[in-house]
Amino acid sequence: MLAYFLRRVMIAIPTIILISMFVFSLQHLLPGDPLLVLAGEERDPETLEFLREKYRLNDPIPVQYLAWVWNALQGDLGTSFRTNQPVTELIAEKLPVTLQLAIMSLIFALAIGIPAGIISAYKKGTVTDWAANVVALSGLSIPNFWLGIMLILLVSVKWQLLPASGYVPPGEDLWQSIRTMLMPAFVLGTALAATLMRHTRSSMLGVLTSDYVRTARAKGLSERVVVLKHAFRNALTPIVTLTALLFGELVAGAVLTEQIFTIPGFGKLVVDAVFNRDYAVVQGIVLVTAVGFIVMNLLADMAYMLLNPRLREA
Amino acid sequence: MFRPFPKRSRAHRGGPGTQARFPKCRVSWPDAQISGVCRARYAWGIDSPFGRADQFEIGSREGETLSNTAPLLSLKDFRLRFRGQDACTIDRIDLEVARGEVLCVVGESGCGKSVTAMALMGLLPEGAAEIPSGTLSFEGLDYDLTRERLPADLRGGAMAMIFQEPMTSLNPVFRIGDQIAETVLRHRGGTRAEAETRALDMLRRVGLPSPEARLRSYPHQLSGGQRQRVMIAMALANDPKLLIADEPTTALDVTIQAQILELIRDLQHEAGTGTIMITHDLGVVAEIADAVAVMYGGQVVETGPVAQVFDDPQHPYTIGLMESVPRLSGAGGRLTTIDGAVPAIEAMPEGCRFRTRCAFAAPACAARPALRDVGSGHATACHFAPLEAHLRVAG
């Protein structure tokens, strides 16, 4: 079991190194010179030279890379060209906001997607199955921004039930924080619920016709136990993988939703940084996101081990 | 609480006390079950291969004296049609098992043996097949199969099943012990500890080496033969009155086959469990059966005590089946086979379904022959039985 875990971690390390190289080379591949932004109107060669020296842009690229990695390992991802704030600080400030959004969205997605997928697989070919599929397809095709705006219009403006936008840190007022995040989380969650539902359905369909499900029925167990215990436990592996990937996507890709609900999250940070050619920030964000993805994958691998007794001893 | 699945109807829950709630169809066979048209089309000759019709006039368990003579299970006039097909895959079969008796159902692949077993256990997927007629009488209680399945309380309790595929029939994510204990808890109740003790006891009885350790094993840690032992342990954990074994040795190594067969035979004998053994292997029949029912194309063509049927087969299909068994003695010569193959269900002939492959086929075979008694419980569904008479005339 430990060996399996270590092997997974060993695979993750070269991946992280490759990603860090890619992330680092990003700034040299992208067009435009950030120093021009930084130097502002003056563009005085001496200032530029000073800045180059300051950000060590004159060093050979491998040296720059190693310096960057060394600093990154110590938690220093450089400073923003724009605000002069340390990148680590910026990320630490915005990430919890997006994490909260991602977790709440995921709860919505799981709570809707999995039961819907199980029911639609169990009732395959019936009106229920058909209806679930139609709803799922709509969930996939309705753009987030449209759903978000509609919700704001109805729930906030018309019924005045929930705040339309903004962010309240959970440490300040937990209840208010959850209330503010409810709508954006729902908007993000429904889209994922549709994906989850489709995957749960196909996974369950495969399992429901298996011999061990027949055995479970032959024991006289109730359909509930047959489906939720015997079938679902076996259908879980692809669902766990998908959930881990979806979570990563949520952290990285909530830009639009954050924009609509004016949430000061990760997505906004990314967009601003890209537009401003704030390379240090972009690098930091890409690196953190990539590592986040890898960690989620590791967690998914760990979950397989818990789910599949075959892996436990390998 | 959120209940995604509709609960089973009341009638399917509860213990033995619920018997009064089951819609009982008192068997006044054959009148009640067979429509006039069908009765006109098929002349049913005898009461049943094993007994007289008056033995089945039993409505409940109260009549103890009667239930001693009554069979443990009797299936009457059973027809099954898969959705989208016109002809019945199972066409009016009767089966009967006495207490403690082993009935072997033999026939080629696709003759409907397994489907019948699944239907008996109520395991056919919902909506996959319809049952135009059929009454199941089990332990003195009658179930109208056209309207209801075998109650879940009986499944795995009084009636248990072993499947053909030991490799895939156990749930890969649960421990062996838990899987056996689960069925014990379902049907006997009691505590977890008691159920686990029972599971251990069962693993010991099926001869699994180091049963204590096996209790904590997962299915993938066991071989095919061991897994089938576990399946047997699971099936017998609640002391069923009837065991249905659907080709339990087909998927196993030849060396293991005999062991498993012996195990089933021993445990069945010990507990007096009535058994329906489904097989295409006449060797298995010879080994284990008390009675045999030969099926062809969804019909029972010959039935009776195993000695009679083996020594003196009366149906041309049974004869063909016997002759196609390879023998060690009398070496030389080609292996006899039955010409042709079982027709697809759409192409099944009217009347005797074997007539397209039968050497004795005659115009009379267009009418379905009834199962006729040819002596001491041995019955055959052939117009020309006993065949010897015809052979002499022809010869």
Side-chain angles (χ1 to χ4, degrees):
Chain A
M1 187 151 170
L2 190 70
Y4 175 82
F5 176 74
L6 288 178
R7 203 163 55 231
R8 289 283 133 184
V9 174
M10 294 305 274
I11 292 170
I13 288 172
T15 318
I16 291 181
I17 292 175
L18 270 176
I19 287 170
S20 73
M21 284 178 173
F22 175 75
V23 167
F24 178 78
S25 57
L26 211 62
Q27 68 166 335
H28 298 277
L29 296 172
L30 288 177
D33 190 341
L35 288 182
L36 293 182
V37 181
L38 208 60
E41 293 298 305
E42 297 176 20
R43 308 238 168 130
D44 149 35
E46 267 171 50
T47 320
L48 284 179
E49 194 49 44
F50 168 74
L51 286 170
R52 285 219 167 85
E53 207 54 55
K54 183 184 168 198
Y55 291 109
R56 307 176 70 173
L57 293 177
N58 286 332
D59 287 350
I61 286 177
V63 175
Q64 285 186 44
Y65 170 70
L66 287 178
W68 180 70
V69 168
W70 180 245
N71 288 334
L73 284 176
Q74 291 168 325
D76 175 14
L77 288 167
T79 49
S80 162
F81 290 160
R82 188 133 184 107
T83 61
N84 250 341
Q85 248 181 305
V87 174
T88 324
E89 201 176 280
L90 270 174
I91 291 175
E93 195 177 293
K94 307 289 187 189
L95 192 59
V97 182
T98 300
L99 277 182
Q100 189 192 344
L101 180 62
I103 289 168
M104 284 179 64
S105 311
L106 207 60
I107 290 172
F108 268 116
L110 293 173
I112 300 170
I114 289 180
I118 294 175
I119 292 170
S120 124
Y122 186 70
K123 303 250 171 200
K124 188 192 167 206
T126 64
V127 178
T128 319
D129 177 27
W130 181 79
N133 274 294
V134 168
V135 172
L137 202 63
S138 332
L140 280 176
S141 4
I142 292 175
N144 278 353
F145 66 86
W146 184 84
L147 186 61
I149 291 167
M150 285 299 137
L151 276 179
I152 292 177
L153 206 65
L154 274 179
V155 179
S156 302
V157 180
K158 219 165 164 206
W159 301 332
Q160 312 218 323
L161 289 174
L162 294 170
S165 63
Y167 172 71
V168 179
E172 209 170 278
D173 180 350
L174 184 65
W175 174 234
Q176 197 55 32
S177 171
I178 291 175
R179 261 168 55 89
T180 325
M181 209 64 115
L182 216 51
M183 270 200 296
F186 180 77
V187 168
L188 274 174
T190 45
L192 299 186
T195 318
L196 257 174
M197 180 243 153
R198 304 280 310 181
H199 281 260
T200 307
R201 180 178 184 272
S202 70
S203 180
M204 281 297 284
L205 279 181
V207 171
L208 278 172
T209 52
S210 65
D211 289 338
Y212 51 80
V213 166
R214 185 183 61 188
T215 305
R217 289 208 167 99
K219 288 181 186 175
L221 302 174
S222 70
E223 283 298 284
R224 224 164 138 53
V225 176
V226 169
V227 173
L228 295 183
K229 182 177 168 190
H230 284 264
F232 186 59
R233 259 300 300 270
N234 281 282
L236 217 48
T237 311
I239 299 172
V240 168
T241 318
L242 186 71
T243 307
L245 292 179
L246 286 180
F247 187 76
E249 226 164 88
L250 271 174
V251 172
V255 183
L256 214 55
T257 312
E258 287 185 1
Q259 206 70 39
I260 292 166
F261 292 96
T262 50
I263 297 166
F266 216 50
K268 199 163 152 41
L269 187 68
V270 180
V271 175
D272 289 348
V274 169
F275 280 139
N276 294 327
R277 301 214 184 92
D278 202 343
Y279 286 151
V281 178
V282 174
Q283 276 178 341
I285 288 171
V286 175
L287 192 69
V288 167
T289 316
V291 172
F293 257 100
I294 289 167
V295 170
M296 285 313 291
N297 265 312
L298 261 174
L299 286 178
D301 279 338
M302 294 301 103
Y304 295 162
M305 219 159 52
L306 293 177
L307 290 174
N308 187 347
R310 268 164 203 265
L311 281 176
R312 249 173 264 168
E313 41 186 77
Chain B
M1 197 185 167
F2 174 64
R3 286 188 189 280
F5 307 104
K7 285 176 100 172
R8 293 206 150 240
S9 69
R10 274 271 151 234
H12 291 268
R13 315 191 133 246
T18 52
Q19 61 190 61
R21 272 183 260 146
F22 292 122
K24 228 176 276 172
C25 71
R26 281 182 189 268
V27 182
S28 51
W29 182 80
D31 312 85
Q33 296 302 314
I34 305 176
S35 70
V37 177
C38 295
R39 208 175 332 152
R41 260 173 65 185
Y42 305 121
W44 283 81
I46 57 156
D47 298 325
S48 113
F50 298 106
R52 309 178 314 275
D54 60 3
Q55 285 182 332
F56 311 122
E57 304 274 357
I58 301 155
S60 72
R61 279 183 202 156
E62 283 115 57
E64 265 306 312
T65 45
L66 276 173
S67 60
N68 286 336
T69 54
L72 170 67
L73 169 135
S74 85
L75 178 68
K76 298 232 150 291
D77 192 33
F78 178 64
R79 282 189 296 166
L80 181 141
R81 177 165 49 216
F82 281 110
R83 198 156 64 171
Q85 288 177 349
D86 293 329
C88 285
T89 299
I90 308 292
D91 190 20
R92 298 190 178 284
I93 64 166
D94 292 358
L95 290 176
E96 204 161 281
V97 187
R99 284 165 205 281
E101 179 192 58
V102 179
L103 169 73
C104 273
V105 179
V106 264
E108 288 167 80
S109 315
C111 74
K113 315 174 292 246
S114 292
V115 175
T116 307
M118 295 296 227
L120 274 178
M121 280 290 282
L123 288 178
L124 288 174
E126 217 153 308
E130 58 174 318
I131 293 165
S133 69
T135 322
L136 171 66
S137 154
F138 180 61
E139 287 206 281
L141 286 175
D142 298 329
Y143 307 98
D144 180 356
L145 293 180
T146 60
R147 285 185 295 143
E148 58 182 334
R149 281 167 180 246
L150 187 78
D153 281 332
L154 295 184
R155 253 186 273 147
M159 195 189 286
M161 186 159 178
I162 307 169
F163 299 96
Q164 187 177 345
E165 305 85 3
M167 296 308 279
T168 50
S169 288
L170 288 164
N171 197 321
V173 302
F174 297 119
R175 293 172 199 276
I176 303 294
D178 293 342
Q179 295 192 48
I180 301 174
E182 187 181 34
T183 188
V184 177
L185 284 170
R186 163 69 178 84
H187 292 280
R188 297 184 157 190
T191 65
R192 237 212 108 79
E194 283 164 9
E196 280 189 10
T197 314
R198 177 69 182 161
L200 180 63
D201 183 38
M202 286 315 295
L203 287 185
R204 236 179 238 129
R205 277 177 62 190
V206 297
L208 214 60
S210 54
E212 287 87 0
R214 282 310 173 207
L215 222 46
R216 312 254 159 268
S217 295
Y218 286 95
H220 71 271
Q221 294 163 320
L222 272 59
S223 69
Q226 288 175 329
R227 286 188 218 188
Q228 196 63 301
R229 283 176 195 269
V230 172
M231 288 300 292
I232 294 169
M234 203 189 284
L236 297 180
N238 294 314
D239 295 321
K241 297 284 180 289
L242 180 81
L243 176 70
I244 301 177
D246 183 5
E247 307 213 22
T249 58
T250 306
L252 300 173
D253 284 349
V254 186
T255 45
I256 309 294
Q257 283 184 4
Q259 294 176 13
I260 294 292
L261 213 56
E262 207 174 304
L263 178 70
I264 294 176
R265 168 97 246 193
D266 288 350
L267 293 178
Q268 173 271 332
H269 204 72
E270 232 169 75
T273 315
T275 304
I276 298 180
M277 170 82 77
I278 301 200
T279 181
H280 59 255
D281 187 343
L282 290 176
V284 170
V285 181
E287 190 88 15
I288 199 171
D290 298 313
V292 59
V294 183
M295 279 184 76
Y296 181 85
Q299 298 176 335
V300 172
V301 295
E302 182 154 14
T303 174
V306 69
Q308 262 98 327
V309 176
F310 267 44
D311 289 348
D312 188 20
Q314 287 298 324
H315 195 280
Y317 177 65
T318 316
I319 295 170
L321 213 56
M322 303 280 183
E323 282 179 352
S324 46
V325 176
R327 281 167 221 278
L328 287 178
S329 56
R334 291 174 67 88
L335 186 63
T336 320
T337 55
I338 303 174
D339 285 335
V342 186
I345 186 69
E346 311 85 52
M348 273 298 175
E350 285 282 303
C352 175
R353 287 186 164 181
F354 187 58
R355 71 188 161 105
T356 49
R357 298 169 73 187
C358 181
F360 302 92
C365 300
R368 177 163 175 186
L371 265 174
R372 262 186 316 124
D373 206 336
V374 291
S376 45
H378 182 185
T380 182
C382 180
H383 292 301
F384 303 112
L387 282 168
E388 287 87 354
H390 295 273
L391 286 172
R392 263 196 297 280
V393 173

